[in-house]
Structure formats: structure tokens, C-alpha cells
């Protein structure tokens, strides 16, 4: 049988008392949610995600950007947590202390049973006013956007009439202070950090595994590709999260990941 996890990884997780699980877009790849660095499709295929995920792009063309986020919210609503998300929830339930820190703006960890993920980059489900920050409603239930996407004029704030914006953190914006300090504190005091499906290119989030390693924690990385975090990790498990994480749970706790 193909070796997905090493004995060293299983030993580190089995012995750890304080664990941080740090996830990125690769975590949701096998749920069918494109990663941030995948090429855009449909209406947005000639755009670069890094240029669209900015306050400037929203200011210049709010309907283009709001349409992109509505399309992604619809896609996430139709996606389901994959076995990797379920394995993360299983780890949380089994180690004495576990903090889940995610860069993802989807809600697949919550839907897999993770209790209170720390969202460093916000959420697709928490739009707010672009001027006064008043939270705005999102339609309940799963929405359906056309496959190729469409431009959508953002709704107006009910308090001040400014356009509503996605509740995510764009390039050049500060991360939510409480989330960032909770993540740094957890990384600084854990004995194992498991980094899953992130390119490790976007800061300050990419510092989280580095903080853990610097302060003496072991770092295990799960990613099919090489990343700048390879040298930070004591163990690199090269494979998709949806296969590696269930195999890791199985290696540590036997049948605990089933059912
Ligand atoms: C699989 C898989 C499978 C595939 N299984 N794995 C220091 C140095 C240089 C630059 C900076 C710096 N500090 C700050 C900056 C600037 C900037 C930055 O980092 N730029 C870099 C690009 C160079 N950072 C910022 O601007 C941040 N803000 C800031 O610093 O503010 C300062 C400030 C302070 C005070 C006041 C005001 C300002 C904000 C960063 C916000 C990032 N937001 C985004 C968009 C969110 C909304 C949206 O989704 O549209 O967050 S960008 C995007 O990248 C998104 C992600 O959360 C984030 C990380 O991406 P992630 O998750 O790693 O995904 P990918 O796609 O990059 O990688 C996927 C990985 O999965 C790959 O490795 C695959 O191999 C792997 N994979 N299939 C497991 N099946
Ligand atoms: Zn407002």
C-alpha cells in the first residue's frame, strides 16, 4: 500500500499535548473549491486573483469584484467538507488542546464539525458596509450563480447607503486583530503545528508556522508540492490533504476516523 504518512509524523501527533492546525486553500481543493493560485475561469479568466482581492479593485469595479465573491460563495455553498476536513475535526476531538487556524474564507471546517476555527482572512459569509462596517445580511441557504459568473452590483448599506463589501481581508489590509493574536499565541505555545495546503507565500499568516518552529514546536507539513515552509517543517508529507490527514488519524488512533 502507498505510504502516505511516516511513523515520525504519527509519533509526533500521538505525543503532542498542544496542537495548532494551520490550513490554507489546498485543504478545500478536494471539495472542488479552487485554490487561490489556480487560474480564474469564466468572467474572471483574464484577471489575476491577486489583483482582484484588493480594495482598489473593489473601488474601481465593485460589480466585477462583488460578482466574483457571490460566485465563490455560491460554489462553496454547493461544496461539501472532504475527508481531510473531517480528519481535522477528529484530531481536534482527540488531542488535549487544539487550535484550528485557517486562512480560508469558506465554512467547510465548521461544517465538518470543527468548533471555533480562527479565520485569519475573514469569511465569504460575513459581508459588511465598506464605509461604516455595519454587518450586512447574506441570503439564507445555498445560492446558485451561473457557471461562468456575472457582474453583480453590491447591495447598499441600510445605515449609510455605501456599497456592501465582502467580509474578507484583501491585500494591503490589516488582519483582524483578535484572530491574529489568537493565532500567534497558539503557535507560540504549542508543541506541534500541522500546516496543511498552504503555499506559505502570504504574510503575516505565513509567519504562524515559523513562530511555532522558532519557539521549539515540531512542524509537520501536508502539501503535494514543495513550498517555502519545507525547511521549517520537521516532516513533509507530500500528498493531498483529503488522503494524508485521514491516514494520519488512522495511524495514531486506529479506527477513530471511521464513522
Ligand atoms: C494542496 C492540495 C491538496 C493543492 N491538499 N494541499 C512580508 C513580505 C512580503 C509581502 C508582505 C509581507 N507582509 C505583508 C505583505 C504584503 C501582503 C503579502 O503577503 N503579499 C505576498 C503575496 C507577497 N500581505 C498583505 O497585504 C496582508 N496585509 C498586511 O500585511 O497588512 C499590513 C497592514 C497592517 C496594518 C494596517 C494596514 C495594513 C493581507 C493579506 C490578505 C490575504 N488575503 C487573501 C484573499 C482573501 C479573500 C479571498 O479569498 O479572495 O487570502 S490572498 C489569498 O492568499 C487568500 C489566502 O487565504 C491566502 C493564502 O493562500 P493559500 O491558502 O496558501 O492558498 P494558495 O492558493 O496560495 O496555495 C494553495 C496550496 O495548496 C499550494 O501550496 C498547493 O500546492 C496546495 N494544494 N492541492 C493539500 N489537495
Ligand atoms: Zn454603512
Amino acid at each position: 500500500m502507498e505510504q502516505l504518512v511516516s511513523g515520525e509524523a504519527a509519533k509526533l501527533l500521538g505525543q503532542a499535548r498542544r496542537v495548532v492546525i494551520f490550513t490554507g486553500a489546498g485543504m478545500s481543493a478536494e471539495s472542488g473549491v479552487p485554490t487561490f493560485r489556480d487560474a480564474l475561469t469564466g468572467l474572471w479568466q483574464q484577471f489575476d486573483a491577486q489583483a482582484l482581492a484588493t480594495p482598489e479593485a473593489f473601488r474601481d469595479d465593485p460589480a466585477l469584484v462583488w460578482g466574483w465573491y457571490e460566485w465563490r460563495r455560491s460554489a462553496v455553498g454547493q461544496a461539501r467538507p472532504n475527508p481531510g476536513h473531517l480528519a481535522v475535526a477528529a484530531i481536534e476531538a482527540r488531542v488535549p488542546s487544539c487550535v484550528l487556524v485557517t486562512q480560508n474564507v469558506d465554512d467547510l471546517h465548521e461544517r465538518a464539525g470543527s468548533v471555533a476555527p480562527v479565520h485569519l482572512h475573514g469569511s465569504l459569509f460575513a459581508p459588511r458596509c465598506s464605509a461604516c462596517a455595519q454587518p450586512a445580511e447574506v441570503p439564507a441557504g445555498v445560492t446558485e450563480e451561473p457557471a461562468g459568473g456575472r457582474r453583480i452590483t453590491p447591495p447598499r448599506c441600510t445605515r449609510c447607503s455605501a456599497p456592501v463589501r465582502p467580509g474578507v481581508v484583501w491585500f494591503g489590509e490589516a488582519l483582524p486583530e483578535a484572530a491574529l493574536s489568537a493565532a500567534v499565541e497558539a503557535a507560540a505555545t504549542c508543541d506541534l503545528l500541522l500546516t496543511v495546503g498552504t503555499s506559505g507565500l502570504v504574510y503575516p499568516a505565513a509567519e504562524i508556522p515559523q513562530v511555532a518552529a522558532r519557539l521549539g514546536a515540531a512542524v509537520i507539513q501536508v502539501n503535494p508540492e514543495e513550498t517555502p515552509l519545507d525547511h521549517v517543517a520537521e516532516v513533509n508529507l507530500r500528498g493531498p490533504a483529503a488522503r494524508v490527514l485521514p491516514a494520519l488519524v488512522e495511524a495514531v488512533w486506529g479506527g477513530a476516523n471511521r464513522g
Side-chain angles (χ1 to χ4, degrees):
M1 200 172 73
E2 186 195 356
Q3 176 97 21
L4 286 166
V5 301
S6 64
E8 194 188 354
K11 189 171 163 207
L12 285 169
L13 180 57
Q15 291 177 346
R17 313 290 303 164
R18 297 172 70 89
V19 174
V20 171
I21 306 177
F22 176 68
T23 67
M27 182 81 236
S28 301
E30 276 142 300
S31 294
V33 180
T35 71
F36 198 75
R37 260 143 265 279
D38 283 339
L40 300 185
T41 55
L43 181 61
W44 304 281
Q45 68 183 353
Q46 78 268 36
F47 295 97
D48 173 10
Q50 201 154 316
L52 279 184
T54 62
E56 294 76 22
F58 184 69
R59 187 197 56 214
D60 293 349
D61 196 343
L64 181 78
V65 174
W66 181 257
W68 185 44
Y69 282 94
E70 285 296 275
W71 180 83
R72 289 171 60 197
R73 189 164 62 80
S74 161
V76 165
Q78 292 169 55
R80 297 162 72 102
N82 68 53
H85 294 103
L86 298 176
V88 166
I91 295 170
E92 280 183 84
R94 279 162 183 82
V95 298
S97 157
C98 185
V99 178
L100 171 59
V101 177
T102 186
Q103 298 165 84
N104 297 345
V105 294
D106 65 46
D107 62 350
L108 295 174
H109 280 306
E110 286 89 338
R111 282 159 56 199
S114 287
V115 182
V118 174
H119 278 274
L120 288 180
H121 292 159
S123 163
L124 289 172
F125 300 90
R128 64 174 189 272
C129 173
S130 58
C132 76
Q134 173 174 254
E137 301 262 315
V138 283
V142 177
T143 52
E144 275 200 37
E145 285 297 315
R150 62 187 173 129
R151 302 169 63 85
I152 306 174
T153 302
R156 296 263 161 193
C157 172
T158 54
R159 186 156 73 188
C160 76
S161 300
V164 167
R165 59 159 284 174
V168 301
V169 182
W170 283 325
F171 285 109
E173 295 184 323
L175 275 59
E177 215 175 291
L180 184 59
S181 47
V184 171
E185 164 76 15
T189 53
C190 71
D191 43 37
L192 174 69
L193 183 141
L194 191 55
T195 174
V196 183
T198 178
S199 59
L201 293 172
V202 175
Y203 282 82
E207 272 167 18
I208 301 298
Q210 298 172 22
V211 166
R214 222 169 24 242
L215 293 175
V219 173
I220 299 174
Q221 174 170 236
V222 178
N223 198 311
E225 308 290 337
E226 291 180 7
T227 81
L229 295 172
D230 282 14
H231 71 278
V232 174
E234 205 162 310
V235 181
N236 279 292
L237 302 174
R238 296 263 185 251
R243 295 189 58 218
V244 172
L245 291 174
L248 187 57
V249 170
E250 175 81 21
V252 179
W253 293 287
N257 194 36
R258 291 189 204 112

